[in-house]
């Protein structure tokens, strides 16, 4: 490639509109990589926290003690927060001496709400990745079309049409296409990857909710340990259980 056709010169000598398109694509690419790194860390942390909590949950620890252990934690997340919301509802309704079926229905509703909210936090950024992956190629194509149009308009004004006279314009136009693909391909791959990982986490958490509901359903009776402890926990929880009612 001749020295006059190096990429930096082509970008700096491009028309203003093509330069704007390139700048937008560069910003989109940087944004997608920031989201990729953040989501990778977030999903990895969420999976580790869920595994640790499940190990604790299935270790045989009494549910009331488990609830007390996480009650004062200000940074509950994932399964820990889902369990906290569901068991708080269980304590609230049992304190009001609601029927067994009503207690289980209320716990199921709160577990679904907690699960949905945690999933929204987990998937934050996926929509942006999808938008970049779908729009960036077309933005790059727009810059390409504009650059080629300018190249042929300039060619029509010259007395002698040669490849050398039209090559710079076409080259700068193709750079816009390349930048569009550079922004779109990682975004699409990351979107598919993170969607699959978040779906697996969601399925795992939904299964936990079903298991927890079944456990409470078996233990909800007048003479079981959880039920007999719930009244004392309700008085100890105080403000915390009242705040959970708004979740």
């Amino acid at each position: 490639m001749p020295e006059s056709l190096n990429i930096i010169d082509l970008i700096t000598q491009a028309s203003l509109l093509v330069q704007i398109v390139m700048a937008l694509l560069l910003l989109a690419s940087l944004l997608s990589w920031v989201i990729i790194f953040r989501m990778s860390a977030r999903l990895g942390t969420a999976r580790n926290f869920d595994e640790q909590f499940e190990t604790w949950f299935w270790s045989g620890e009494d549910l009331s003690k488990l609830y007390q252990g996480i009650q004062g934690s200000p940074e509950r997340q994932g399964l820990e927060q889902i369990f906290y919301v569901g068991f708080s509802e269980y304590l609230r309704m049992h304190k009001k001496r609601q029927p067994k079926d009503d207690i289980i229905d209320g716990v199921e509703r709160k577990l679904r709400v907690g699960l949905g909210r945690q999933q929204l936090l987990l998937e934050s950024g996926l929509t942006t990745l999808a938008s970049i992956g779908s729009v960036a190629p077309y933005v790059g194509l727009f810059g390409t079309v504009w650059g080629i149009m300018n190249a042929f308009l300039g060619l029509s004004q010259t007395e002698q049409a040669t490849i050398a006279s039209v090559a710079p314009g076409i080259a700068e136009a193709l750079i816009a296409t390349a930048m569009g693909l550079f922004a779109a391909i990682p975004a699409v791959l990351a979107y598919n990857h993170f969607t699959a990982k978040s779906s697996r986490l969601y399925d795992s958490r939904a299964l936990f909710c079903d298991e927890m509901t079944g456990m409470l359903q078996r233990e909800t009776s007048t003479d079981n340990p959880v039920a007999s402890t719930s009244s004392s926990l309700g008085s100890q929880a105080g403000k915390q259980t009242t705040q959970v009612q708004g979740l």
Side-chain angles (χ1 to χ4, degrees):
M1 177 181 291
E3 184 180 353
S4 59
L5 291 183
N6 67 74
I7 295 178
I8 301 300
D9 287 343
L10 289 175
I11 294 175
T12 56
Q13 294 173 9
S15 62
L16 178 61
L17 183 59
V18 176
Q19 288 181 342
I20 293 175
V21 168
M22 292 179 181
L24 291 175
L25 291 173
L26 180 60
L27 290 176
S29 178
L30 293 175
L31 177 60
S32 68
W33 280 107
V34 169
I35 295 174
I36 288 170
F37 287 122
R38 285 183 176 178
M39 289 204 68
S40 179
R42 186 191 309 149
L43 287 168
T45 301
R47 184 186 62 222
N48 292 334
F49 276 22
D50 285 0
E51 290 176 353
Q52 292 174 7
F53 181 78
E54 280 200 275
T55 301
W56 188 16
F57 184 85
W58 297 113
S59 64
E61 184 81 30
D62 185 72
L63 293 185
S64 56
K65 292 182 179 179
L66 184 62
Y67 176 80
Q68 285 179 311
I70 66 174
Q71 193 173 29
S73 175
E75 298 181 355
R76 293 183 298 268
Q77 59 179 295
L79 285 182
E80 192 177 59
Q81 174 64 16
I82 294 171
F83 166 80
Y84 179 80
V85 170
F87 201 77
S88 295
E89 181 68 7
Y90 172 82
L91 294 178
R92 186 184 70 85
M93 298 192 71
H94 189 275
K95 185 179 180 181
K96 293 183 177 180
R97 301 186 181 278
Q98 297 291 326
K100 175 180 176 180
D101 291 341
D102 292 346
I103 292 177
I104 297 303
D105 289 342
V107 170
E108 287 180 341
R109 286 193 298 270
K110 286 299 182 180
L111 288 175
R112 286 196 298 269
V113 171
L115 178 62
R117 287 180 176 174
Q118 289 300 307
Q119 195 67 16
L120 286 176
L121 294 175
L122 195 66
E123 295 180 351
S124 175
L126 277 180
T127 304
T128 304
L129 286 178
S131 300
I132 292 174
S134 60
V135 172
Y138 295 103
V139 176
L141 182 60
F142 170 75
T144 297
V145 171
W146 187 268
I148 291 177
M149 182 181 67
N150 284 338
F152 279 104
L153 286 176
L155 184 63
S156 65
Q157 298 174 1
T158 60
E159 297 181 357
Q160 185 177 2
T162 62
I163 294 295
S165 60
V166 75
I170 295 178
E172 75 179 36
L174 294 176
I175 290 175
T177 298
M179 293 183 68
L181 295 175
F182 179 78
I185 292 174
V188 171
L189 293 176
Y191 174 82
N192 294 333
H193 174 70
F194 293 140
T195 298
K197 290 189 68 173
S198 63
S199 296
R200 287 195 294 269
L201 274 174
Y202 179 87
D203 293 340
S204 176
R205 290 173 174 179
L207 181 61
F208 172 85
C209 291
D210 292 339
E211 292 171 336
M212 178 178 170
T213 302
M215 181 181 296
L216 292 177
Q217 189 171 18
R218 290 190 300 269
E219 296 183 353
T220 302
S221 62
T222 57
D223 57 347
N224 71 85
V226 176
S228 61
T229 312
S230 61
S231 58
S232 61
L233 274 177
S235 60
Q236 293 174 9
K239 296 181 180 180
Q240 287 87 345
T241 53
T242 304
Q243 293 172 353
V244 175
Q245 297 177 22
L247 290 179

